[in-house]
Amino acid sequence: MSTPETLTLTLPDGATRVVAPGTLARDVVATIGARLLQAAIAVVVDGETIDLGTPLRRGGRFRVLTERDPESLAVLRHSGAHVLATAVRRLRPEALIGFGPAIEDGFYYDFQVEHPFTPEDLAAFEAEMHRVAAEKLPFVREEVDRAEANRRFADDPLKLERIADLPDEEVISTYTDGPFVDLCRGPHVPDTSYLRHFKLLHTAGAYWRGDERRQMLQRIYATAWWKKDDLDAYLHRIEEAKRRDHRRVGKELDLFLLHPFSPGAVFWTERGTIVYNELVRFIQERQRHAFLEIKTPLLYNKGLWEQSGHWGKYRDNMFLVLDNESGEHDISLKPMNCPSHYLVYNSRKHSYRELPLRYVTFDVLHRNEVTGALSGLTRVRQFAQDDCHVFLTENQIPAEVQFLVDFILSYYRTFGLTASLKFATRPDQRIGSDELWDRAEDALRSALEATGHPYELKPGDGAFYGPKIDFDVMDALGRAWQLGTIQLDYAAPERFDLQYVGDDNTAHRPVVIHRAVSGSLERFIAILIEHFAGAFPLWLAPEQVRVLPISDDLSEAAEAVVRQLTERGVRAGMATHDTLNYRIREAELLKIPYMAVVGRREAEAGTVAVRARGAGKKQEVLNVDAFCERLLDEISSRVLPMEFAATL
């Protein structure tokens, strides 16, 4: 491809700059204004972020990034990774260097060392990073040919391997800050002094290039921000996340346990089972009128997965079972519900009058996650989804997407959760023709835009069978979790020969929408535990009321209160052991929404002294019937705890 003689850059205000190829980005910024050049961090050219020292190779829209632009944080953090590598190599010159990208909320760098890093090492590295930053070392970019790159990194096999993988047309660049040299595309801030507010967080083992067959490296995770207040707020969120960790809180509240005899599968205690069942009951209640709940088998012959396309593209993630007759592993536990729903649909004829037809199930699924990836309830091998498949006509897509989006968002609001929408398009590995994908993407995008909800584009992130709308849910700590999804599938109806009889009395092909709201119920409960810090809303709490007699001789009166509550459907328990203060503290630790104290005066009057969770020592004396009515009203309306309700 020939190099153009000039490049035309269009500024945000519509003005243009015409420059020669190879002009440095900073020289263009200088023509806009000296103050802007002083504030500039990097530039965006035709959608690509490059630093000020990168030569321009193409024209297009030209935008300058300053600290005010959110995208500039990624540049700062990438530079932070290089400063980290600089510090490590100063103190541990034998360390081999891997990759150091910016990630969400921070950055990391991988090192190959003989012994794992210690907390003391991290403290020393962080102190050295402050020294590197204070030296104000410029990030100097240099473009080199492949031979020169190999010469510069001759003593670092990790970098040599990376160089060997670069395509022939790749522009190879290095960056130096002081004597430290790294193979890197950039972009970077102008010099190391821009890195002021940062923190090294922890280390972890990481296989080289994510391949468990390769050597284990030491990964150092860190964060960096433009402002100290932002750094402090982030570190506070990290500490709060540790306090709310569902593994810790779940154990304290006696909700679930995990055991090495069944790795990746959850044992729900009696208290945890209540939470699980209440969640399922809530979903079933919301789906009672518009959805048809079904149950399907867990074990299938590979023929089903060959027909669906999973056998060729997903088999490594499936639990295969040996068939005693064939001697082959050609049976598997199902990793998803879709194909079984197609079999149910195909078991009888359908009319256009039945559509949209929504099958929903809570069947158990199994996916063969590697042991090292398992994590509490958030990454398991056995789980259930609130999984739905909608069979509909093509012209019903807009109305159905509107219905499902409203359904999903209102579900999240029940828990005080908000969501943002993402539109994901065709991935590289996919089934179906480009024509089919064009139809599916156009139909789903049009339907999404008709809902009026803003969305973010995620190119290449669709399912292998169709585009999708993902729901990223924000919890109380501001963390995003990808939960719900609406996936449009034109491929499955073709593969399974799905049909319905139209109003012209001939066979037509439906389309399929895959829908999940909670995602995996296990993962959703983990999110709820952390979102509420274990202080569930009354309707979801495993124990809703703890009745506390102030002395043993009032146990009979307290038991009568428990009976009155349980007969009306309230989950109530009683504690008589130890002192009253001990029992109150125990109820607080279990985060029980209400305590009902029974003293002599209450026993005689048929009342209870009610203490609400989080209200301290404040009590309200209520007639037992009135207390019960209040509880039932709060349960039926699914009222959020006050701190969550105030945010909606």
Side-chain angles (χ1 to χ4, degrees):
M1 181 182 295
S2 60
T3 303
E5 293 184 2
T6 59
L7 305 175
T8 301
L9 306 170
T10 304
L11 308 185
D13 63 359
T16 60
R17 296 289 188 276
V18 179
V19 301
T23 301
L24 298 184
R26 69 164 59 91
D27 295 337
V28 178
V29 180
T31 70
I32 303 173
R35 292 181 63 183
L36 182 60
L37 178 61
Q38 189 175 8
I41 302 299
V43 301
V44 180
V45 183
D46 197 26
E48 180 187 6
T49 302
I50 62 175
D51 57 38
L52 300 177
T54 299
L56 300 176
R57 288 184 167 81
R58 65 171 182 264
R61 295 187 177 277
F62 185 93
R63 181 165 59 93
V64 181
L65 298 182
T66 69
E67 290 184 16
R68 295 182 178 182
D69 296 292
E71 305 103 303
S72 69
L73 267 175
V75 182
L76 175 71
R77 289 165 178 165
H78 187 194
S79 302
H82 277 241
V83 172
L84 169 59
T86 302
V88 172
R89 288 291 280 266
R90 282 185 178 184
L91 300 179
R92 300 280 292 272
E94 78 283 1
L96 301 180
I97 53 175
F99 294 136
I103 57 175
E104 185 176 4
D105 291 334
F107 58 90
Y108 69 77
Y109 212 108
D110 290 339
F111 302 92
Q112 185 174 343
V113 288
E114 188 174 345
H115 301 292
F117 294 134
T118 66
E120 292 74 21
D121 288 329
L122 259 60
F125 296 154
E126 187 173 304
E128 189 64 30
M129 288 176 69
H130 281 289
R131 285 189 281 272
V132 174
E135 292 170 16
K136 200 176 181 178
L137 302 172
F139 283 100
V140 179
R141 186 177 195 273
E142 184 179 358
E143 295 181 359
V144 298
D145 60 27
R146 193 173 298 266
E148 176 61 17
N150 285 324
R151 187 190 68 77
R152 293 190 182 189
F153 297 100
D155 295 330
D156 206 326
L158 301 182
K159 292 298 182 182
L160 291 177
E161 182 178 329
R162 179 67 182 125
I163 293 168
D165 289 343
L166 295 175
D168 292 341
E169 66 276 9
E170 179 85 9
V171 175
I172 301 176
S173 58
T174 65
Y175 280 83
T176 61
D177 50 297
F180 177 70
V181 185
D182 202 358
L183 177 76
C184 181
R185 290 194 181 99
H188 286 292
V189 295
D191 65 64
T192 60
S193 69
Y194 284 69
L195 189 72
R196 298 182 295 273
H197 309 298
F198 62 92
K199 181 70 177 175
L200 299 190
L201 301 174
H202 60 89
T203 62
Y207 291 111
W208 170 234
R209 309 190 82 167
D211 187 343
E212 61 185 5
R213 296 166 297 184
R214 304 295 300 276
Q215 65 267 43
M216 178 70 75
L217 307 181
Q218 283 291 295
R219 176 170 295 177
I220 299 178
Y221 285 97
T223 189
W225 301 81
W226 288 120
K227 298 178 181 178
K228 184 177 185 301
D229 287 348
D230 291 338
L231 173 62
D232 291 343
Y234 177 71
L235 295 177
H236 173 73
R237 288 199 303 273
I238 290 178
E239 289 305 309
E240 184 64 14
K242 291 178 182 177
R243 186 181 72 84
R244 293 170 178 246
D245 189 305
H246 74 277
R247 292 163 294 189
R248 174 176 171 270
V249 175
K251 184 176 182 180
E252 292 172 351
L253 301 186
D254 188 26
L255 299 178
F256 67 91
L257 60 95
L258 301 165
H259 197 281
F261 281 167
S262 187
V266 184
F267 292 77
W268 296 100
T269 66
E270 62 272 23
R271 298 176 72 85
T273 299
I274 290 172
V275 176
Y276 188 100
N277 287 342
E278 282 296 324
L279 183 62
V280 171
R281 197 162 16 248
F282 171 53
I283 302 168
Q284 289 173 321
E285 177 186 306
R286 297 187 78 244
Q287 296 182 152
R288 182 171 295 126
H289 301 296
F291 298 80
L292 302 175
E293 185 173 342
I294 62 175
K295 292 187 71 64
T296 61
L298 304 184
L299 207 60
Y300 293 88
N301 183 275
K302 70 175 183 180
L304 177 68
W305 308 115
E306 288 174 334
Q307 188 172 355
S308 68
H310 289 94
W311 194 255
K313 296 184 179 294
Y314 203 78
R315 181 171 46 184
D316 290 344
N317 299 95
M318 296 164 68
F319 280 101
L320 305 183
V321 179
L322 182 66
D323 186 328
N324 289 334
E325 293 185 7
S326 69
E328 300 291 336
H329 286 86
D330 53 9
I331 298 175
S332 83
L333 295 170
K334 66 176 177 181
M336 60 270 300
N337 291 302
C338 336
S340 61
H341 286 193
Y342 306 150
L343 298 183
V344 174
Y345 180 89
N346 263 347
S347 66
R348 60 183 177 87
K349 288 187 176 181
H350 297 277
S351 164
Y352 71 96
R353 294 186 177 90
E354 298 176 69
L355 308 183
L357 181 63
R358 306 180 185 99
Y359 286 148
V360 66
T361 190
F362 299 91
D363 291 344
V364 172
L365 302 173
H366 291 84
R367 295 182 185 174
N368 192 12
E369 303 282 359
V370 296
T371 303
L374 301 177
S375 178
L377 302 181
T378 57
R379 195 73 176 265
V380 292
R381 287 173 171 168
Q382 176 185 292
F383 60 97
Q385 291 181 320
D386 50 354
D387 208 2
C388 173
H389 294 91
V390 186
F391 303 85
L392 66 163
T393 66
E394 200 163 14
N395 61 12
Q396 289 174 329
I397 292 173
E400 186 65 15
V401 169
Q402 180 74 64
F403 168 74
L404 293 176
V405 167
D406 291 345
F407 183 95
I408 292 171
L409 293 178
S410 67
Y411 175 84
Y412 296 147
R413 283 194 292 271
T414 304
F415 303 96
L417 296 165
T418 58
S420 58
L421 279 60
K422 318 286 185 182
F423 180 65
T425 58
R426 70 193 74 182
D428 292 335
Q429 297 295 318
R430 58 184 183 267
I431 59 175
S433 66
D434 287 343
E435 180 185 6
L436 211 59
W437 274 90
D438 289 342
R439 285 174 58 196
E441 288 178 351
D442 289 346
L444 190 58
R445 182 186 290 105
S446 175
L448 173 57
E449 291 175 350
T451 68
H453 290 285
Y455 66 90
E456 178 185 327
L457 187 65
K458 292 172 67 177
D461 205 43
F464 73 84
Y465 46 75
K468 60 178 180 170
I469 302 167
D470 284 336
F471 293 75
D472 281 6
V473 173
M474 195 77 70
D475 69 7
L477 294 182
R479 299 172 301 181
W481 303 84
Q482 200 281 300
L483 293 180
T485 189
I486 297 171
Q487 304 173 354
L488 186 60
D489 188 347
Y490 279 76
E494 295 287 343
R495 283 176 169 262
F496 283 84
D497 192 26
L498 306 182
Q499 297 183 4
Y500 69 91
V501 177
D503 58 1
D504 58 359
N505 209 33
T506 63
H508 295 266
R509 187 81 71 206
V511 292
V512 169
I513 287 179
H514 307 247
R515 184 233 67 180
V517 185
S518 304
S520 129
L521 297 181
E522 285 77 2
R523 185 165 175 263
F524 189 64
I525 291 175
I527 293 167
L528 291 183
I529 291 171
E530 299 188 5
H531 178 59
F532 291 117
F536 293 114
L538 181 65
W539 69 274
L540 199 54
E543 185 177 352
Q544 295 165 326
V545 180
R546 176 68 63 90
V547 180
L548 305 171
I550 64 172
S551 59
D552 288 346
D553 62 324
L554 294 169
S555 294
E556 189 173 328
E559 288 173 353
V561 173
V562 172
R563 281 197 302 274
Q564 284 179 265
L565 295 174
T566 54
E567 286 171 0
R568 299 286 299 276
V570 177
R571 294 188 289 275
M574 188 178 82
T576 58
H577 57 278
D578 277 304
T579 65
L580 178 62
N581 285 339
Y582 178 90
R583 287 178 277 138
I584 289 174
R585 178 59 177 157
E586 181 183 56
E588 289 174 341
L589 291 174
L590 287 172
K591 303 184 186 293
I592 298 170
Y594 288 100
M595 285 177 268
V597 179
V598 179
R600 197 162 304 283
R601 184 181 303 170
E602 287 80 16
E604 292 172 355
T607 60
V608 287
V610 177
R611 182 180 296 192
R613 181 180 59 205
K617 295 183 178 181
K618 183 180 178 181
Q619 294 187 158
E620 182 180 6
V621 177
L622 292 173
N623 176 277
V624 176
D625 285 337
F627 179 45
C628 190
E629 288 300 323
R630 175 185 292 187
L631 293 170
L632 293 175
D633 181 62
E634 188 176 334
I635 291 168
S636 63
S637 58
R638 294 190 170 89
V639 174
L640 281 166
M642 188 175 299
E643 62 269 29
F644 290 92
T647 65
L648 297 182

